[in-house]
Amino acid sequence: MVDTKHSGSMTSEPGSARQRILRTASRLFYESGIRAVGVNTLAARAGVTKVTLYAHFGSKDGLVAEHLAERDRRWRETLERVSAGSETAEQRLSAVFDGYEEWTVADGFRGCGFVNAGVELTDPEHPGREIIERNKDGIRTWLTEIAEAAGCPDPSDVAEEWFLLLEGAVVRATLRKDATPLHRAHRAALRLLREEAGG
């Protein structure tokens, strides 16, 4: 568990109570793990009472779901930003790898926050599970649209291979604390694109 002994004396983050709670939870859940962070710690670090936390999110599970939904929103914004101006399928595919690398490096090689959460949230009925699946399905859809635009005979199959390259490269990069696996996966994905699109 995260130490709470001195957390009450810590300066809370600026913003509304809801924003502070969500920012605090997002940081602690990703850095320490969802199960390791208790409600007492969350409330103290955010500078609110547990009553306030429950009033905004209903439960810890509700807060976890909001944390994942916010992370998914920020990821989609990143994907849109790095893809802006990309015209060809190759450029659009490269942009996805750029987005993955940006998040992997910025997060300090701690791994994918959605995969990490999925390992902890074993209950299939947990509200966070749907958001995790939505995030991964959204990436597959994005990749399928790229494969379709490139004229690949089986876009969904190619997209799944790209997806596996991306996700596997993040795991390897996390273990090595090095983005090189993402670069190698990127090159492999581009080779596959050229083969499937006929040159």
Side-chain angles (χ1 to χ4, degrees):
M1 294 289 287
V2 175
D3 179 29
T4 63
K5 186 182 295 182
H6 302 296
S7 59
S9 62
M10 296 183 65
T11 302
S12 63
E13 297 192 12
S16 71
R18 181 182 178 84
Q19 291 173 331
R20 293 201 310 273
I21 296 166
L22 189 54
R23 281 198 299 268
T24 301
S26 293
R27 184 179 68 252
L28 293 178
F29 286 156
Y30 186 67
E31 293 177 354
S32 303
I34 292 170
R35 294 187 181 279
V37 181
V39 173
N40 288 335
T41 297
L42 288 167
R45 295 288 181 89
V48 301
T49 65
K50 287 197 296 182
V51 171
T52 299
L53 187 151
Y54 287 130
H56 283 288
F57 299 98
S59 64
K60 181 182 175 182
D61 285 348
L63 178 55
V64 169
E66 286 289 335
H67 147 65
L68 291 169
E70 173 63 15
R71 190 174 181 86
D72 182 53
R73 184 191 65 76
R74 289 190 292 107
W75 162 248
R76 290 170 189 271
E77 287 181 352
T78 296
L79 201 52
E80 292 283 355
R81 174 174 54 76
V82 297
S83 298
S86 298
E87 298 179 357
T88 67
E90 185 169 316
Q91 290 171 339
R92 292 171 63 192
L93 179 59
S94 292
V96 179
F97 276 87
D98 289 344
Y100 263 71
E101 180 175 350
E102 179 179 314
W103 272 51
T104 301
V105 173
D107 283 341
F109 295 100
R110 292 177 180 271
C112 172
F114 296 100
V115 173
N116 294 349
V119 171
E120 293 198 75
L121 304 180
T122 57
D123 181 358
E125 300 302 316
H126 191 287
R129 296 290 307 188
E130 181 180 351
I131 298 165
I132 294 168
E133 291 299 325
R134 186 175 71 203
N135 172 266
K136 298 306 181 184
D137 287 345
I139 295 169
R140 289 192 190 90
T141 298
W142 190 281
L143 293 171
T144 300
E145 291 172 354
I146 295 173
E148 289 173 345
C152 296
D154 190 344
S156 60
D157 186 63
V158 173
E160 185 66 21
E161 291 190 45
W162 287 339
F163 180 73
L164 292 174
L165 283 169
L166 283 160
E167 295 289 309
V170 169
V171 173
R172 184 63 176 144
T174 299
L175 293 173
R176 290 183 51 173
K177 305 294 184 185
D178 176 11
T180 300
L182 279 161
H183 301 161
R184 298 187 67 176
H186 184 180
R187 292 194 294 271
L190 291 177
R191 285 196 299 270
L192 179 61
L193 170 61
R194 292 162 189 151
E195 292 170 3
E196 291 293 328

